[in-house]
Amino acid sequence: MLRSVGQKRATGGAVDPRVAALRTAVSRLRRELAGHPAEFPDRGIAEDELAALDAMAVGGAPEIPRLRRSLLLVAGSIGSVSALAPGLRDVRIAVDLFGEPPRP
């Protein structure tokens, strides 16, 4: 079933706004990366880690250290591609919504 923007899930379960923000930011960056014409050596790493971020978000409460690790890998992979910087910034902001990992 397709939903319009702003509609809630038909299952009645509330969606964590942090998860929704992460999924939106990751989806946007994935689309921008797919449409970017230039090839670069670590593109596959960025694509894999964006897929992992999306999978973690779909799963519900993602592990903060794993989110941050994926973010670092994505940033390192596409960091020099300035056209993707706004999308990367949005993913970083969405990851930051989950807070800091607990200190050992």
Side-chain angles (χ1 to χ4, degrees), residues 1-10 13-15 17 20-21 24:
M1 170 191 276
L2 295 175
R3 293 180 286 139
S4 296
V5 174
Q7 286 184 333
K8 294 182 180 178
R9 284 188 162 172
V15 176
T24 299

Side-chain angles (χ1 to χ4, degrees), residues 18-30 33 45-75 77-78 87-96 98:
R18 300 172 304 167
V19 171
L22 180 60
R23 293 205 66 209
T24 299
V26 167
S27 177
R28 175 182 170 206
L29 185 54
R30 287 176 87 180
L33 182 59
I45 294 169
E47 291 168 346
D48 290 347
E49 288 304 318
L50 286 169
L53 281 167
D54 189 50
M56 283 185 270
V58 169
E63 296 176 26
I64 296 169
R66 178 69 175 108
L67 283 176
R68 294 196 178 284
R69 179 181 176 277
S70 288
L71 175 62
L72 285 173
L73 287 169
V74 171
S77 300
I78 65 173
L88 180 59
R89 181 198 65 234
D90 291 346
V91 172
R92 183 191 56 80
I93 290 168
V95 167
D96 285 347
F98 288 89

